Amino acid sequence: MLYAIIAADRPGSLDKRMAARPAHLQRLEQLAGLGRLILAGPHPAVDSENPGDAGFSGSLIVAEFTDLAAAQSWADADPYQAAGVYASVVVKPFKQVFPQ
């Protein structure tokens, strides 16, 4: 089943985000390599694909996991969590309707 991992960044965490980014991307690449990653990306803090110093307000990941506990466990181990980037993370089931 698919799960949405919706994270909100702590204010002022851009430097921490950038430092932890390589490890974060490596985990996403592993999911993609297994064919389980549907989409992933950050939420720019301003209306721009390249927000510069404004940074990001959070992230969204949609991926396939065996169950909610596995999705939560994966989210809990995210390098952004360990680095203190995320203020909160919500993990919930997701049903993709479009595109089919």
Side-chain angles (χ1 to χ4, degrees):
M1 181 166 183
L2 296 179
Y3 294 86
I5 300 169
I6 307 157
D9 284 15
R10 293 183 194 284
S13 64
L14 182 59
D15 289 341
K16 291 178 181 180
R17 175 183 269 274
M18 298 314 292
R21 188 170 187 262
H24 172 78
L25 293 179
Q26 182 179 27
R27 292 181 81 233
L28 291 172
E29 289 170 1
Q30 289 172 349
L31 273 183
L34 295 170
R36 295 173 36 202
L37 182 64
I38 304 303
L39 64 89
H43 301 286
V46 295
D47 191 12
S48 173
E49 283 193 31
N50 298 304
D53 291 340
F56 301 92
S57 63
S59 300
L60 171 65
I61 299 166
V62 177
E64 183 180 354
F65 294 94
T66 55
D67 56 31
L68 181 58
Q72 185 68 60
S73 178
W74 189 90
D76 289 346
D78 193 294
Y80 285 168
Q81 283 278 53
V85 174
Y86 291 154
S88 65
V89 178
V90 175
V91 180
K92 54 185 166 180
F94 179 80
K95 180 177 177 171
Q96 182 175 353
V97 177
F98 290 103
Q100 296 181 2

